[in-house]
Amino acid sequence: MSEDIERVLVTGGAGFIGSHLVDRLLASGHQVVVLDDFSSGKRENIAQHTGDARLLVIEADVAGDLDAALDTAHAASPITRVAHLAAKVSVVASLEDPLEDLRVNAGGTLRVLEWARRHAVRKVAFASSAAVYGDVAEVPTPERAPCAPISPYGIHKRSSERYLALYAEVHGLPTTSLRFLNVFGPRQDASSPYSGVISIFFERARAGLPLTVYGDGEQTRDFVYVADVTDALERALFSSPDVVGPLNVGTGVGTSVNQLAAAVLEVLGAQLEVRHDEARGGEIRHSCAVVDAAAQQLGFHAGYELKRGLAEMIDV
Ligand code: UD2
């Protein structure tokens, strides 16, 4: 990609996806400002860049008072683009504490947009989620499908998308929302029962433990590798102002949890039991994206099919 060297703010830059984006932007030659409160982000995710003068790390809550720290950074060298990834990432936590999800996920987005508007940022790219769709009838799902989120998390991702569109329309601030499907890759947290299924399967298989499939395992997901997601984010950051989205970021391929379990064992060369447990309540049966819009508007195509992504995870 040919793009000028710029200074990019990555909120949530120490998180799973954010830290991969930081790697990518630095590799492309850009300067990067990470804003992270390290509540779920980890210092070790960006420790490989310690000593790189092109990286500035600001420890702050995205829903707190950002202005002073960002203004100082901006005065030293202008921040021209923003990838807004900082968020509470748990759907389950959002059901338990919807006000906190509102504060961080909707409130944080608004604070970032306000700052970006005042500083004439050239593009804000936002990490939304397929959670905005809820239980849709149409699978694979195009962006024009009705949004009926079934969690506060999904509601606040949806309202954030609307705020981005509003700021583009009313304030002329260029924005792009991306709707991520099920993202997987190195650095994904495997520590909670609600962590991404691939991170859990990987950790268990590596420890020689049986895999647990919830329900009949015929539920499907669109698993997209984190390197593809950061590719889409970089394209969105440098896309033209008329690319507002929301745009699905997935592979367009549905994989069942049974197929996934077999693929993880095959890639790791492990022979372990696959157990079935009770199905999770309130779960979507099938999830898969129509990916044509991101292809047309960003030139984005997921390059990693599932087993290639899994194979890359082994070396990390
Ligand atoms: C994803 C997102 C979530 C939200 C939601 C919206 C992730 C990690 N989560 O939840 O944030 O956006 O989509 O719809 O991307 N499973 C097993 N065994 C396990 C763990 C999971 O069988 O040990 C199953 C689980 O029941 C589900 C599938 O694997 O059918 C995927 O689970 P997940 O938690 O990775 O992601 P999902 O789609 O429920």
Side-chain angles (χ1 to χ4, degrees):
M1 218 180 294
S2 72
E3 51 201 34
D4 293 334
I5 302 303
E6 296 196 32
R7 197 167 195 220
V8 183
L9 168 65
V10 182
T11 73
F16 160 46
I17 301 171
S19 64
H20 285 282
L21 180 62
V22 170
D23 293 346
R24 186 180 193 101
L25 291 171
L26 288 171
S28 296
H30 298 293
Q31 298 181 5
V32 175
V33 177
V34 164
L35 184 128
D36 205 297
D37 68 354
F38 298 97
S39 57
S40 60
K42 297 187 188 120
R43 287 184 196 281
E44 69 206 48
N45 286 347
I46 48 172
Q48 64 279 22
H49 304 299
T50 306
D52 188 334
R54 296 172 307 155
L55 175 67
L56 173 70
V57 180
I58 299 173
E59 183 169 351
D61 175 0
V62 73
D65 188 5
L66 306 174
D67 290 12
L70 286 183
D71 286 356
T72 306
H74 186 75
S77 170
I79 292 166
T80 48
R81 302 186 190 257
V82 178
H84 175 42
L85 279 69
K88 294 271 166 202
V89 294
S90 166
V91 171
V92 177
S94 85
L95 285 158
E96 279 160 12
D97 192 351
L99 285 171
E100 176 65 0
D101 196 273
L102 173 70
R103 187 187 77 82
V104 177
N105 289 1
T109 299
L110 258 181
R111 282 188 184 268
V112 168
L113 287 171
E114 274 296 283
W115 189 86
R117 173 171 77 88
R118 284 199 301 274
H119 294 79
V121 162
R122 296 171 69 184
K123 179 73 92 172
V124 178
F126 170 60
S128 186
S129 160
V132 300
Y133 291 122
D135 216 348
V136 272
E138 196 178 347
V139 181
T141 308
E143 291 85 351
R144 60 167 167 68
C147 287
I150 50 175
S151 64
Y153 173 84
I155 291 172
H156 300 142
K157 285 291 183 187
R158 180 65 188 137
S159 44
S160 293
E161 290 180 354
R162 291 301 310 150
Y163 275 125
L164 264 86
L166 179 84
Y167 273 62
E169 236 171 83
V170 175
H171 299 301
L173 173 71
T175 64
T176 307
S177 291
L178 300 179
R179 285 180 182 161
F180 300 158
L181 277 289
N182 286 59
V183 186
F184 74 101
R187 302 179 199 156
Q188 188 168 30
D189 175 36
S191 63
S192 127
Y194 298 102
S195 296
V197 61
I198 294 185
S199 65
I200 295 174
F201 279 5
F202 233 78
E203 196 171 88
R204 291 186 65 86
R206 278 180 151 165
L209 296 168
L211 308 185
T212 305
V213 169
Y214 299 136
D216 66 3
E218 287 306 301
Q219 67 271 38
T220 57
R221 295 293 184 270
D222 183 337
F223 295 107
V224 58
Y225 190 59
V226 67
D228 282 326
V229 172
T230 57
D231 176 24
L233 276 164
E234 188 176 17
R235 287 170 186 274
L237 278 168
F238 290 88
S239 63
S240 89
D242 51 290
V243 179
V244 179
L247 301 173
N248 287 336
V249 174
T251 64
V253 177
T255 302
S256 73
V257 176
N258 288 331
Q259 290 170 325
L260 173 68
V264 168
L265 295 181
E266 185 193 318
V267 166
L268 286 173
Q271 284 178 336
L272 297 164
E273 187 194 344
V274 178
R275 295 180 183 156
H276 285 260
D277 208 336
E278 225 171 280
R280 258 186 198 167
E283 192 173 276
I284 290 168
R285 184 72 175 162
H286 297 293
S287 173
C288 184
V290 172
V291 291
D292 300 349
Q296 279 156 15
Q297 295 183 47
L298 296 178
F300 168 73
H301 300 273
Y304 287 79
E305 52 93 31
L306 180 66
K307 280 189 196 161
R308 183 170 165 227
L310 293 175
E312 286 233 344
M313 287 174 69
I314 296 178
D315 306 323
V316 185

